[in-house]
């Protein structure tokens, strides 16, 4: 049985987001996320010092340009950061920061243990090799794209998709290791073989058997005796879509079948693993172009 992972809460962060001059728009506190913590907010100018925490911090600047000064021990840097610029701070690192203008930002905290797990999948066993390097103002289109997906998940949360967040967290960890570690590695780009036919069938059978409830990436991977990172890559190579997307497609297909009977749509939503009828409607329309009610009328 996969051990429970505690929720990632505001109290696990540096304290920037608890400042009175930081106004949060969305936070992941109540969304059941365990792999990462994320928050979107408007920051007013400030200057402060913070103790390190056991999680890596990635800040994406959503507007600007704005000047930011950062102190790491005796090292001092100041840059004018444009929209899309990143602030990366490794776990356990004390720092000082001065924000010289107002800023819309997205803060993402990634568990150190998750990055170490992904590093092990890449064959990076040395703590020195997997040590992340601080960044100030650099651009990384891959991380920016992942961060945008995280922001979308905050703004329009899917309470039944912890697998999707775990998938994004592992993609983020892989990119950090490949481009921003002490020993930047191309291992993430190595093409892993797909799942065997038996493994793919077993994964889909597991999804089908648990379709009505939450399914995590770790649970699926454990059913095949693989690490979550390797499972996600191999599943996508075999099925043509990430596990969370394939799972949603299966839930929509079950809903299609059930809509041909007279069962209330709200009950169908719960039976198919959706949080509520509105959640079913949103996902169903994305997959089919029609609402469940319209689909029922057209196929009755």
């Amino acid at each position: 049985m996969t051990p429970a992972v505690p929720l990632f809460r505001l109290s696990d962060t540096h304290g920037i987001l608890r400042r009175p001059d930081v106004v949060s728009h969305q936070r992941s506190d109540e969304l059941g996320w365990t792999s990462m913590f994320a928050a979107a907010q408007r920051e007013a100018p400030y200057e402060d010092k913070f103790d390190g925490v056991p999680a890596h911090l990635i800040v994406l600047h959503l507007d600007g340009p704005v000047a930011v000064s950062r102190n790491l021990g005796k090292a001092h840097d100041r840059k004018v950061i444009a929209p899309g610029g990143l602030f990366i701070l490794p776990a356990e690192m004390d720092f000082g920061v001065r924000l010289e203008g107002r800023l819309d930002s997205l803060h993402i905290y990634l568990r150190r243990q998750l990055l170490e797990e992904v590093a092990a999948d890449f064959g990076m066993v040395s703590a020195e090799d997997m040590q992340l390097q601080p960044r100030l103002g650099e651009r990384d289109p891959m991380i920016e794209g992942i961060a945008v997906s995280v922001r979308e998940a905050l703004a329009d949360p899917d309470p039944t998709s912890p697998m999707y967040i775990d998938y994004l967290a592992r993609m983020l960890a892989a990119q950090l290791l490949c481009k921003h570690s002490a020993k930047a590695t191309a291992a993430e780009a190595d093409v892993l073989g797909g799942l065997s036919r038996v493994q793919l069938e077993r994964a889909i059978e597991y999804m089908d058997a648990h379709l009505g409830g939450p399914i995590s990436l770790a649970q699926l991977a454990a059913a095949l005796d693989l690490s979550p990172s390797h499972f996600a890559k191999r599943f996508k190579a075999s099925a043509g879509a990430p596990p969370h997307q394939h799972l949603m497609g299966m839930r929509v297909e079950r809903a299609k079948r059930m809509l041909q009977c007279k069962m209330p749509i709200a009950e169908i939503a719960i039976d198919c693993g959706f949080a509520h009828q509105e959640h079913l409607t949103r996902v169903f329309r994305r997959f089919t172009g029609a609402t469940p009610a319209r689909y029922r009328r057209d196929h009755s």
Side-chain angles (χ1 to χ4, degrees):
M1 184 175 180
T2 304
V5 179
L7 298 181
F8 212 141
R9 301 191 181 280
L10 180 64
S11 57
D12 299 317
T13 70
H14 288 100
I16 299 172
L17 303 176
R18 294 194 293 269
R19 292 181 56 86
D21 44 13
V22 174
V23 180
S24 293
H25 307 310
Q26 295 100 20
R27 291 206 315 250
S28 62
D29 298 60
E30 305 301 326
L31 301 180
W33 295 8
T34 59
S35 300
M36 69 168 74
F37 174 93
Q41 56 278 316
R42 181 68 169 172
E43 301 182 47
Y46 71 91
E47 184 172 5
D48 208 342
K49 295 180 180 179
F50 302 94
D51 295 331
V53 298
H56 305 292
L57 170 62
I58 301 92
V59 178
L60 174 67
H61 285 227
L62 300 174
D63 64 1
V66 63
V68 178
S69 296
R70 184 186 63 190
N71 295 311
L72 300 176
K74 295 182 179 180
H76 174 79
D77 292 297
R78 180 183 182 275
K79 287 187 179 179
V80 176
I81 303 177
L86 295 171
F87 179 109
I88 298 177
L89 186 82
E92 306 292 0
M93 186 172 286
D94 301 342
F95 72 105
V97 64
R98 182 175 67 183
L99 178 66
E100 299 183 21
R102 294 187 177 276
L103 172 68
D104 281 325
S105 66
L106 177 72
H107 287 218
I108 299 176
Y109 283 85
L110 189 69
R111 289 193 186 280
R112 182 179 55 188
Q113 296 93 325
L114 186 141
L115 186 128
E116 291 171 352
E117 181 182 319
V118 174
D121 287 341
F122 289 170
M124 298 174 69
V125 295
S126 166
E128 293 181 0
D129 288 348
M130 69 180 74
Q131 177 65 39
L132 297 187
Q133 302 301 293
R135 305 296 193 202
L136 181 64
E138 293 190 16
R139 298 291 298 268
D140 185 319
M142 176 69 76
I143 290 181
E144 187 174 353
I146 295 169
V148 168
S149 295
V150 171
R151 186 187 182 197
E152 290 173 350
L154 279 175
D156 188 15
D158 176 354
T160 68
S161 290
M163 184 193 302
Y164 179 51
I165 299 305
D166 197 26
Y167 179 78
L168 291 176
R170 290 173 187 280
M171 287 179 61
L172 178 57
Q175 184 66 8
L176 287 169
L177 288 166
C178 291
K179 300 297 184 183
H180 305 282
S181 65
K183 184 180 179 181
T185 174
E188 193 274 339
D190 290 343
V191 178
L192 291 171
L195 298 172
S196 68
R197 180 180 59 82
V198 172
Q199 286 177 316
L200 182 59
E201 289 176 354
R202 191 187 308 163
I204 292 174
E205 287 172 0
Y206 186 96
M207 288 182 182
D208 189 61
H210 299 82
L211 212 56
I215 304 174
S216 72
L217 194 62
Q219 288 171 326
L220 266 173
L224 273 66
D225 197 26
L226 293 172
S227 74
S229 299
H230 279 174
F231 169 76
K233 292 176 183 295
R234 290 175 174 167
F235 185 95
K236 183 176 180 180
S238 296
H244 63 274
Q245 186 174 334
H246 191 89
L247 176 66
M248 282 300 175
M250 290 178 64
R251 285 174 167 158
V252 167
E253 289 302 315
R254 175 181 284 188
K256 284 181 180 179
R257 295 192 296 271
M258 296 183 70
L259 284 166
Q260 296 181 41
C261 68
K262 295 184 178 181
M263 185 176 181
I265 294 177
E267 293 182 21
I268 292 174
I270 300 301
D271 195 70
C272 292
F274 296 98
H276 39 64
Q277 184 172 339
E278 291 77 13
H279 181 211
L280 167 62
T281 298
R282 185 170 67 249
V283 176
F284 197 93
R285 183 186 288 116
R286 188 166 71 239
F287 273 80
T288 69
T291 65
R294 175 63 181 270
Y295 184 89
R296 169 172 276 174
R297 287 195 301 271
D298 292 345
H299 292 81
S300 59

